[in-house]
């Protein structure tokens, strides 16, 4: 997986590509943990091939972190399979997702 | 039929997912279905890597074959007996705050695959998942 960062004023977009799996979820977790002073976090998944349960855990962590700091998190452009995973796990009810 | 035997450790995840993916790519499976199977393969392999032999390391065998319009993928390990099908499904209607971190993986495998079977035989865990070509 590759993570590209677009930083704005209190905004951060992380563009994820490849597989968000057990091993790469650790990299995303480090990125999320290092976030400070961000009010708007966007996870752009347009180039993300797939997500496993380990990836879901990190996304849930990011969601909680942004909520705890009164910020927002938006998931953008998941592919069909990633969206299917969000739907089957109920994450579609928790997350704000823009298709 | 194709077989891969690797030490069941997280570092071999890509090798295992790519092995199954390469097999499916030679069939009539479309990319979307191959990705669905890839996720299931990861969840099962990581379970073996995390729990089957812990704290030691053992091997996992992955077997792929095509039967008609159905792919059959088997996972064999000689670790502790563990039937993942007996684990309870998570409550996917819970809010973010209520959610635990466990149980999602097996639940996803059940949803992504058309069939899943487990047996313990001759000291081996044998988990078989199936996917029909659409």
């Amino acid at each position: 997986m590759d993570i590209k960062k677009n930083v704005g004023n209190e905004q951060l977009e992380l563009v994820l590509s490849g597989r968000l799996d057990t091993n790469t979820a650790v990299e995303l977790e480090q990125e999320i943990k290092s976030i400070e002073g961000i009010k708007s976090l966007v996870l752009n998944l347009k180039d993300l091939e797939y997500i496993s349960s380990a990836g879901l855990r990190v996304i849930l962590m990011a969601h909680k972190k942004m909520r705890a700091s009164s910020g927002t998190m938006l998931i953008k452009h998941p592919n069909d399979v990633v969206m299917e995973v969000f739907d089957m796990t109920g994450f579609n009810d928790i997350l704000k997702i823009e298709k | 039929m194709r077989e891969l035997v690797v030490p069941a450790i997280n570092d071999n995840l890509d090798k295992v997912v790519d092995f199954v993916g390469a097999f499916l790519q030679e069939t009539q499976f479309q990319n979307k279905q191959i990705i669905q199977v890839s996720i299931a393969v990861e969840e099962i392999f990581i379970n073996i890597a995390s729990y089957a032999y812990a704290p030691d390391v053992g091997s996992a065998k992955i077997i792929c074959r095509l039967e008609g319009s159905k792919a059959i993928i088997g996972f064999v390990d000689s670790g502790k007996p563990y039937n993942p099908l007996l684990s309870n499904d998570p409550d996917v209607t819970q809010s973010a705050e209520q959610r635990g971190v466990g149980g999602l993986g097996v639940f996803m495998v059940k949803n992504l695959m058309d069939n899943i079977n487990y047996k313990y035989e001759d000291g081996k865990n044998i988990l078989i998942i199936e996917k029909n070509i659409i």
Side-chain angles (χ1 to χ4, degrees):
Chain A
M1 189 186 65
D2 186 48
I3 304 175
K4 265 201 321 209
K5 286 197 269 189
N6 298 319
V7 187
N9 180 28
E10 296 190 335
Q11 294 180 6
L12 175 65
E13 181 186 40
L14 298 177
V15 185
L16 312 183
S17 55
R19 298 171 181 163
L20 182 50
D21 62 23
T22 302
N23 295 330
T24 60
V26 180
E27 296 167 37
L28 181 61
E29 187 174 354
Q30 295 310 320
E31 285 293 343
I32 303 292
K33 281 184 173 163
S34 70
I35 289 177
E36 264 180 63
I38 297 295
K39 288 291 169 206
S40 161
L41 173 66
V42 173
L43 297 182
N44 190 330
L45 308 187
K46 69 181 168 64
D47 295 321
L48 191 71
E49 184 188 9
Y50 85 55
I51 185 166
S52 70
S53 62
L56 288 178
R57 281 193 274 276
V58 178
I59 288 195
L60 184 62
M61 187 198 93
H63 170 82
K64 288 181 178 176
K65 174 167 179 163
M66 293 310 294
R67 212 151 95 158
S69 61
S70 304
T72 60
M73 183 174 93
L74 177 64
I75 306 283
K76 271 190 184 175
H77 315 315
N79 72 17
D80 285 355
V81 178
V82 174
M83 192 62 219
E84 185 186 351
V85 169
F86 287 149
D87 285 338
M88 79 173 65
T89 54
F91 272 58
N92 58 328
D93 292 330
I94 295 174
L95 305 171
K96 200 173 157 202
I97 302 171
E98 182 183 302
K99 295 182 192 175
Chain B
M1 192 181 83
R2 245 176 265 173
E3 273 187 29
L4 175 74
V5 179
V6 291
I9 53 173
N10 287 11
D11 281 352
N12 282 327
L13 174 62
D14 281 353
K15 192 181 276 182
V16 170
V17 170
D18 290 343
F19 165 75
V20 177
F23 170 78
L24 295 176
Q25 257 151 22
E26 291 171 22
T27 66
Q28 300 301 311
F29 277 100
Q30 291 181 1
N31 199 39
K32 183 177 166 181
Q33 282 196 298
I34 295 176
I35 295 172
Q36 290 169 332
V37 175
S38 297
I39 297 172
V41 167
E42 163 170 345
E43 300 295 347
I44 294 167
F45 181 71
I46 292 297
N47 259 349
I48 296 172
S50 304
Y51 305 115
Y53 301 100
D56 301 321
V57 173
S59 67
K61 179 158 79 175
I62 297 95
I63 304 158
C64 300
R65 67 190 171 90
L66 199 66
E67 196 179 278
S69 61
K70 182 166 70 179
I72 302 172
I73 303 158
F75 298 81
V76 183
D77 70 71
S78 310
K80 298 182 257 300
Y82 169 65
N83 181 353
L85 302 183
L86 295 181
S87 66
N88 292 326
D89 288 342
D91 180 355
V92 295
T93 63
Q94 282 182 328
S95 71
E97 276 62 32
Q98 294 170 312
R99 283 198 175 227
V101 289
L104 274 182
V106 173
F107 176 75
M108 285 163 64
V109 175
K110 288 180 188 169
N111 275 276
L112 291 163
M113 303 302 294
D114 293 313
N115 205 2
I116 169 167
N117 281 297
Y118 169 84
K119 61 183 171 184
Y120 188 75
E121 217 171 69
D122 301 329
K124 293 181 169 68
N125 289 299
I126 303 170
L127 186 71
I128 294 167
I129 57 176
E130 300 179 355
K131 185 86 169 171
N132 299 313
I133 295 174
I134 294 174

